[in-house]
Amino acid sequence: MSKTVEATYYRGVARESLDHLLTPSKEGTWGSGLYMADDECARNFADGDGLIAELRVRLRRPYYHACKQSDFQDHGELPAIPLVHTVCPGSAAIVDAVIKGGGYYFGGEIETALTGLGHDALIVSYPDRSLEVALYQPAEFTLVGLYAPDRDISDSTNLLPDFTTKHLIQGLSMGEWYALYCNQQEEVCRNAA
C-alpha cells in the first residue's frame, strides 16, 4: 500500500508549448499524464528558452516503479514495457501496437490501469537516482513558482507574481506573457549597457 506523498516537483516546458504548461500529455514514455520531475530533468525539458514550473504536489496513492538499466538495454526507447506487462491487461497487444506504429510513447493505457487500481500518480525512479512523475486526475497540486531554466532555481527570481498580474489584468496567455517578459528583459539589459 502506498503512503501519501507531499513533495515539490518541477515541470519543464519549451517556449513554444508554454500555453500548455499545466495540460496533461496524451502520450509519453510512461503514458498519459501531467509529467513532472526533479529540477535537472525539468531544465532539460525547458529546452533553454522555456520555463520551469515549481509544483507542490500531494499524492494520496502513487504507484512506484523502479526503472532498471536493463529496461533501456532490453527495450531501447521503450523502457516502460516491463511496467506495461505488470499493470496493463492485454499488455502484449498494447506493446505490439506501439512497436508496429513506430512510436516511442504509450497513450492512456498505463494511466487507465493504474487509476483503475486506485493510484493517482506514477513515480518512476531511474538508476542515476533521477525521477519522473506522471500525475493523474484527481491528484492535488499547486503552482508555486515559474523560473527561467538558465540558472539554479534557488538563485532565480520567481516569475509567477509577474505572470499572475499580467494574466489577470491584461488577459495574456502564458506564451504571450513570456514573450513580453523576455522582450522587457532584453530592453533592460540594453539600457543598462
Side-chain angles (χ1 to χ4, degrees):
M1 185 106 181
S2 301
K3 294 180 184 178
T4 297
V5 173
E6 293 188 23
T8 298
Y9 297 114
Y10 301 91
R11 177 167 167 79
V13 178
R15 192 172 187 166
E16 64 272 4
S17 301
L18 286 175
D19 287 336
H20 305 287
L21 181 72
L22 299 177
T23 302
S25 300
K26 292 181 181 173
E27 62 180 15
T29 302
W30 302 101
S32 56
L34 181 64
Y35 278 79
M36 52 196 74
D38 55 71
D39 174 16
E40 187 174 335
C41 183
R43 190 179 313 283
N44 290 332
F45 278 99
D47 203 24
D49 67 349
L51 283 174
I52 297 173
E54 180 181 9
L55 300 155
R56 295 248 167 76
V57 179
R58 181 180 182 154
L59 307 174
R60 297 189 187 281
R61 194 163 177 245
Y63 184 91
Y64 292 91
H65 176 72
C67 185
K68 301 177 182 113
Q69 191 62 40
S70 61
D71 294 343
F72 292 99
Q73 294 163 346
D74 297 345
H75 307 290
E77 295 292 323
L78 293 168
I81 288 176
L83 173 67
V84 171
H85 286 310
T86 301
V87 302
C88 294
S91 62
I94 294 168
V95 170
D96 286 347
V98 171
I99 291 171
K100 286 179 183 170
Y104 298 105
Y105 300 132
F106 289 94
E109 304 90 354
I110 297 170
E111 178 179 0
T112 298
L114 291 177
T115 56
L117 295 170
H119 298 286
D120 58 354
L122 168 65
I123 298 177
V124 178
S125 59
Y126 291 99
D128 66 359
R129 297 187 181 191
S130 62
L131 62 87
E132 197 165 3
V133 177
L135 191 66
Y136 310 135
Q137 297 298 326
E140 301 171 29
F141 69 90
T142 304
L143 176 64
V144 294
L146 290 172
Y147 303 94
D150 59 351
R151 62 178 69 95
D152 190 288
I153 286 178
S154 62
D155 296 332
S156 296
T157 301
N158 185 349
L159 304 176
L160 184 58
D162 185 70
F163 166 70
T164 303
T165 302
K166 298 247 176 17
H167 173 69
L168 292 175
I169 294 172
Q170 298 176 11
L172 298 178
S173 71
M174 177 72 73
E176 292 168 333
W177 163 77
Y178 196 55
L180 177 66
Y181 175 83
C182 290
N183 289 337
Q184 289 171 344
Q185 291 304 102
E186 289 172 9
E187 187 175 315
V188 167
C189 292
R190 281 194 303 270
N191 290 339

